Amino acid sequence: MSLRRAGWKGSMYKIIGVDGQQYGPTAAEQIRQWMAENRVNAQTLVLVEGGADWKPLGSLPEFGADLKAPPPLGQQPPPLTSLAANVWSARASHKVAAGVCGILLGPFGIHKFILGYTGPGIIMLLSTILTCGLAGVVTGTIGLIEGILYLSKSDEEFVRTYVDARKEWF
């Protein structure tokens, strides 16, 4: 049963774990449990339900008292900007491969398979093969356009559009 259906009234949160994956929505109590287990820290990126920006967990007043003291000066974590850049970069790791394959191998839908879009990849591949390459003009054009779109987006925009929102076409 979800917390919403159970009558939960508090805010819900999404977080980006150290593995670059998004987790949630989850309640504040779950995040506090993760803090106790050292699975999240003050630098963990959090999105409050209804919010538009990812923020460090330590910047949210509802968690400030629960966070442990910062590490000694010699063990300071990297600045948040580099952490955020690393998270976006890790989550966009397939952007270049998908973009190049879209441009060069577009008729076969390889770029779709790279991004985990098996259905659209099969559609493009079978369309090209079953028409003896005639549909390759159309699927190749789609691949070219999508490859250029992938490569022209920033890592953050790519992740939002093609990883989080799972936008399969253009």
Side-chain angles (χ1 to χ4, degrees):
M1 177 188 319
S2 78
L3 294 171
R4 288 277 179 223
R5 283 186 277 156
W8 176 257
K9 302 269 191 242
S11 292
M12 298 296 283
Y13 306 87
K14 292 181 182 177
I15 70 161
I16 296 179
V18 294
D19 58 358
Q21 297 297 313
Q22 182 175 307
Y23 297 94
T26 187
E29 287 309 311
Q30 179 65 56
I31 292 179
R32 285 188 181 89
Q33 180 180 346
W34 290 338
M35 283 190 282
E37 297 169 353
N38 291 321
R39 293 175 61 189
V40 297
N41 59 33
Q43 289 78 33
T44 300
L45 295 177
V46 178
L47 178 66
V48 179
E49 182 180 50
D53 296 324
W54 290 88
K55 298 178 183 178
L57 184 62
S59 71
L60 300 178
E62 58 265 39
F63 297 109
D66 298 321
L67 290 167
K68 296 180 179 174
L73 284 177
Q75 301 173 9
Q76 288 295 328
L80 181 62
T81 53
S82 69
L83 283 174
N86 288 342
V87 167
W88 291 118
S89 179
R91 297 187 72 209
S93 62
H94 299 301
K95 178 177 96 169
V96 173
V100 170
C101 285
I103 292 169
L104 299 177
L105 302 170
F108 305 107
I110 305 301
H111 61 292
K112 299 291 190 181
F113 291 108
I114 290 173
L115 294 177
Y117 302 145
T118 306
I122 290 173
I123 290 170
M124 292 181 78
L125 179 63
L126 290 179
S127 296
T128 301
I129 291 173
L130 295 177
T131 62
C132 297
L134 293 176
V137 174
V138 174
T139 56
T141 303
I142 291 170
L144 176 67
I145 292 169
E146 288 182 331
I148 292 170
L149 285 173
Y150 298 163
L151 295 173
S152 66
K153 293 187 182 295
S154 68
D155 286 351
E156 185 176 340
E157 189 177 5
F158 177 83
V159 168
R160 278 196 202 118
T161 305
Y162 300 105
V163 177
D164 291 341
R166 304 284 301 161
K167 184 177 180 185
E168 296 178 344
W169 298 98
F170 296 103

